[in-house]
Amino acid sequence: MFSETRSEFAPHGPSVDALIALASIPGAESYLAPGDIDYRSWNHVGDPLCEALIHVMRERKLMGGDIYANARELERGGNSEATAFFADVEAIPSWLDVDSLRVGARMGRRNPLGMLFGIHGALPMTYLDPATAEVMSSTGRLAGGGDFRRRFWETATGFVGALDVDGMLPGGDRWIMWIRIRFMHTMIRLGIHRSARWPRYESGTPISQMATAGATYIFGQYRVNIMEYFGGKVTPDERDGFALMWRWVSRIEGANNQLLGRDHAEEMAIQMRIHDTLFSESDKTKTLMRDVVEGTASMAAFGKSTWLNHAVARQVLQPSMIATFPGGDARDALGLEPRPTAEAVVRLGAGALRAVSSVTRLPGVRRIAEEGGFRLLESSLERGLDGVRADYRGTAVAGRPTDE
């Protein structure tokens, strides 16, 4: 019999139980040296604080309507699960520097094309974790036959929202959006447990602490590499600020501080170990890579060309772009075969963008570029979502709703 938090077949033991207890402490800051962290045990830990809250909300029939507002109502009523959850998401970690966040966000705003093309690499890199590929396949939304376009722009909404620093602080609209995404991830995790169809309990739980924390490099440092590839000029302080925002996003999403580190050097050492633990080849990974290429090629914003989008993915996933895949080529694991002519065209286009980007760094042009780039990203989201905002409700698993 499966529970909705962990299968009876999932490994039990003092190391996993101790980490579940740590993850149940709101805003806990208990750090270890990167070499001392028990990565494999963390892969068996989900999000006990959010899971406990969702259980209460289900019991009280509060999953309809605005789930965030319902959770806040529980908190105002003194519910312990709601109080603990909001204490966690409102806790400001000792390493968060708001001024640094602003520096990184301005860089992202100046590079709208790099931000958009970043999804060509960021989504596939998450699939290099076979468990993440399994989750994506179970929901079907980013897979072939799913509502790829809608899900793509919902994902992009989160990426663009992180460029609004004030909105990303506790109580801000963008911060609330990421809490809704945390609810969605938890509903999907619980839905997979309930379906009794998770094949990977020996290695970890769906949407584990490791998977959540492992996105920090992918959506932070790695996407800066993509922005640089498409002409972006990035200073070390801008890189650090952009990376810091994605440590903060991972924290909002429930990743424990132990898996995020106390500074950028520690973060990077942890990310190397997380990706080394999680990444491997799988058939579902390759299938989802094809779905990304075909899905982006179906959208006008990306030229409606499979040829072009395959080449973009090949270029942004090359070994020189990915620090956490040493000695290997992620494109092989993703099944992306070479397309020399198309890739040469992409390289030429990226080279032309470097001259444009140099102009955007001029003092008189920079602010205009930052404001115009952000408006371009926001208008792209509006068109992509057809004016219907992303609500981030749990996706059905095995034909059964997870947001009820």
Side-chain angles (χ1 to χ4, degrees):
M1 182 70 181
F2 281 68
S3 74
E4 289 197 10
T5 52
R6 258 199 310 165
S7 165
E8 63 179 6
F9 302 115
H12 289 259
S15 57
V16 173
D17 291 338
L19 293 180
I20 290 173
L22 176 59
S24 300
I25 301 171
E29 292 201 55
S30 175
Y31 299 98
L32 293 173
D36 294 334
I37 295 170
D38 188 347
Y39 297 96
R40 296 194 182 280
S41 291
W42 271 120
N43 207 34
H44 290 282
V45 182
D47 187 349
L49 288 168
C50 196
E51 288 165 9
L53 174 57
I54 293 296
H55 281 309
V56 170
M57 294 179 70
R58 282 181 173 167
E59 289 171 359
R60 301 193 184 188
K61 311 297 184 187
L62 294 174
M63 296 298 289
D66 188 330
I67 296 175
Y68 175 84
N70 293 346
R72 280 296 195 188
E73 188 63 30
L74 274 177
E75 181 198 25
R76 283 190 289 272
N79 174 265
S80 60
E81 289 84 359
T83 300
F85 175 81
F86 284 108
D88 185 59
V89 292
E90 290 172 351
I92 300 294
S94 57
W95 43 259
L96 192 67
D97 180 340
V98 176
D99 289 336
S100 179
L101 296 182
R102 296 190 196 285
V103 172
R106 288 195 294 269
M107 182 277 297
R109 288 170 177 242
R110 283 199 316 272
N111 292 282
L113 289 179
M115 285 285 295
L116 287 174
F117 280 122
I119 296 180
H120 282 72
L123 283 178
M125 267 198 75
T126 66
Y127 304 156
L128 288 169
D129 170 14
T132 298
E134 192 76 43
V135 169
M136 291 297 188
S137 296
S138 72
T139 65
R141 293 199 60 198
L142 275 170
D147 55 343
F148 183 96
R149 182 175 182 273
R150 175 75 188 176
R151 185 67 182 91
F152 177 96
W153 289 113
E154 287 177 350
T155 301
T157 299
F159 289 178
V160 174
L163 301 179
D164 174 5
V165 174
D166 290 331
M168 285 294 296
L169 299 178
D173 289 344
R174 315 287 187 162
W175 176 84
I176 292 172
M177 172 187 65
W178 280 102
I179 292 175
R180 293 184 190 279
I181 294 172
R182 182 169 173 178
F183 286 159
M184 178 183 71
H185 288 165
T186 297
M187 286 184 273
I188 291 171
R189 183 188 310 105
L190 296 179
I192 292 172
H193 288 321
R194 184 172 58 189
S195 76
R197 296 185 181 182
W198 183 247
R200 305 185 62 84
Y201 278 117
E202 289 306 313
S203 59
T205 195
I207 318 180
S208 70
Q209 286 275 328
M210 286 275 282
T212 301
T216 307
Y217 170 80
I218 296 171
F219 296 143
Q221 297 265 12
Y222 171 58
R223 282 200 302 141
V224 175
N225 295 346
I226 295 174
M227 282 183 266
E228 287 184 315
Y229 179 88
F230 285 103
K233 305 296 182 182
V234 183
T235 68
D237 285 346
E238 288 171 339
R239 175 177 284 275
D240 286 350
F242 195 89
L244 186 65
M245 176 58 82
W246 286 91
R247 282 168 73 199
W248 173 231
V249 170
S250 294
R251 178 74 280 278
I252 299 169
E253 289 302 283
N256 191 270
N257 277 305
Q258 191 175 107
L259 293 172
L260 300 176
R262 287 163 282 202
D263 55 36
H264 290 298
E266 200 165 82
E267 172 209 351
M268 196 61 195
I270 292 169
Q271 290 293 303
M272 295 284 286
R273 288 172 169 82
I274 289 176
H275 291 190
D276 183 60
T277 302
L278 295 182
F279 285 9
S280 64
E281 292 191 38
S282 75
D283 290 340
K284 287 184 177 177
T285 290
K286 294 175 181 178
T287 297
L288 286 166
M289 179 72 253
R290 289 194 297 271
D291 293 337
V292 168
V293 170
E294 292 169 4
T296 51
S298 71
M299 294 187 284
F302 295 99
K304 291 213 166 191
S305 167
T306 302
W307 181 82
L308 171 65
N309 284 278
H310 183 104
V312 169
R314 278 276 308 175
Q315 284 295 292
V316 301
L317 287 159
Q318 60 187 298
S320 61
M321 300 282 284
I322 305 172
T324 58
F325 209 78
D329 192 330
R331 298 173 298 185
D332 294 337
L334 291 162
L336 277 172
E337 70 278 6
R339 300 279 177 85
T341 302
E343 290 175 62
V345 171
V346 173
R347 286 194 297 271
L348 284 171
L353 287 170
R354 293 189 185 103
V356 176
S357 184
S358 295
V359 174
T360 66
R361 290 191 61 80
L362 296 173
V365 179
R366 183 178 302 185
R367 181 175 293 277
I368 296 171
E370 290 167 3
E371 293 174 354
F374 193 61
R375 283 197 301 270
L376 174 62
L377 289 167
E378 295 262 72
S379 63
S380 297
L381 295 175
E382 183 72 18
R383 289 193 301 273
L385 293 170
D386 294 325
V388 180
R389 73 177 181 87
D391 59 5
Y392 304 109
R393 296 189 69 87
T395 303
V397 173
R400 187 173 177 182
T402 60
D403 60 350
E404 295 179 359

